[in-house]
Amino acid sequence: MLPQEAHSGVWLLKDIDSPTALLGCGSCLDRQACGGLHLPNGSAMLTCMDLCHCADPSACDMVCPKAPTRFARRVHEVRGFQLDDIPRRNFNARPAPAGCVTLIEGRVSRRRPIELPDYAAIPLSRAITGRGLQQRAKTRDELVRDHGVLPRKGWIVTGIEDDRYVERAWRLPKHREVFKSLREAGVVFATSPNFSLYADAPRHDNLHAMKRIAWMWYTMNEAGLPTALHVNGRTSHDFDRWTQFIIDHPEVTSIAFEFLTGAKLVDDSERYVDRLTTLAQLVERPLTLVLRGSMQIAKRLEAVFDHVIWLDATPYFRAMHRHVAVPNSAGPLRYAPRGGDAAAPIGGLFKSLAMAAQRRYHICRSEISIPAQRSLDLRPLGTPSDMSADDEAAQLLLFP
């Protein structure tokens, strides 16, 4: 990732779909998989390898040709960057839920579990326990105990997390056994891990992350856990590859995407909404979208996808901060401090917030729109400090 002092310039590293790629892309051996980089304002870079500034490449963990031994090993572990060698299978995928599902990132009740009438979502790392070779899926009782919630229709597990947690999924021992056990523990649906595609890294690392996403999606479904394919991409060509992969694999019935970090800013959110819209139109069959991000984007994409599952962590975090929902006639819910004893149980508060968020989602209409995109080419070099290269939002620490 970029150092903090370089965050204001990260927009210079984002692909903007211009017709001209970097000068060195034409002779790259991986051009077919990569598609080339198209950076704003006539970038001075010749190739993506100009993004490598490691003083000692042997100590870097990126998938980079400057460390040839490790590079060959990492490429071999995913069997190359192409997506066409992922096996095709007829998975017994059950229909995915639709609407607003509350995401829980901690424990909301230490007494009697709070019953929810439908589903509850949790990060993948919170569905797994143990260290190293002893890692395993949590049991049904452990999931209820560790979250203080009892969802009547089952659990949804999301692979959208901070990198330190997502990477553990790739190193799990006996992947299939873990995912099969999650299914037996009451997990009814999942999304594949969201391995990050960094803007400040050579494209080889991006292509390796995409292939890992595809392999994990396949492994989770093969283990009997219905799983959405996370279509993480840095360029339009990345989305073209995902589109072709979905067309070639009719067993893909759901995809996932997040607007929390790299696609959060106005300039980027519109671009990714367009890319997701184009993907859905080209696939020409019903798809379910699992989304993390704003309710406004979720409502907009309901017009494109057959179903949208919006994972909303707001009720959990508001309950943790002892906030209550304030009535308002339209738009997202408003909140205010509850007051009273800060040590009082929050189980009842959490349930009321979760139910209020679901009601508001279903009655909210899509008239709320995202402001028009600003032009990247006209942005001054002194960009706002809120521009960030981080590809994940902060998460709760699972292992101390």
Side-chain angles (χ1 to χ4, degrees), residues 244-266:
Q244 190 59 51
F245 179 84
I246 296 170
I247 292 174
D248 294 340
H249 289 258
E251 64 271 29
V252 179
T253 59
S254 54
I255 64 173
F257 195 77
E258 61 94 0
F259 285 86
L260 296 176
T261 50
K264 183 178 181 179
L265 297 177
V266 171

Side-chain angles (χ1 to χ4, degrees), residues 32-54:
Q32 182 179 359
C34 171
L37 272 182
H38 312 79
L39 303 183
N41 288 354
S43 173
M45 291 195 303
L46 293 178
T47 73
C48 66
M49 293 305 299
D50 292 341
L51 292 169
C52 178
H53 303 290
C54 299

Side-chain angles (χ1 to χ4, degrees), residues 100 102 116 295 310 312 315 324-328 331-335 348-364:
C100 175
T102 302
L116 295 180
M295 180 176 66
W310 180 45
D312 181 22
V324 295
V326 177
N328 63 312
L333 288 173
R334 300 179 184 275
Y335 300 90
L349 174 61
F350 164 78
K351 183 174 182 178
S352 66
L353 291 173
M355 300 305 294
Q358 291 185 10
R359 288 193 299 270
R360 178 51 55 91
Y361 179 82
H362 289 297
I363 67 174
C364 184

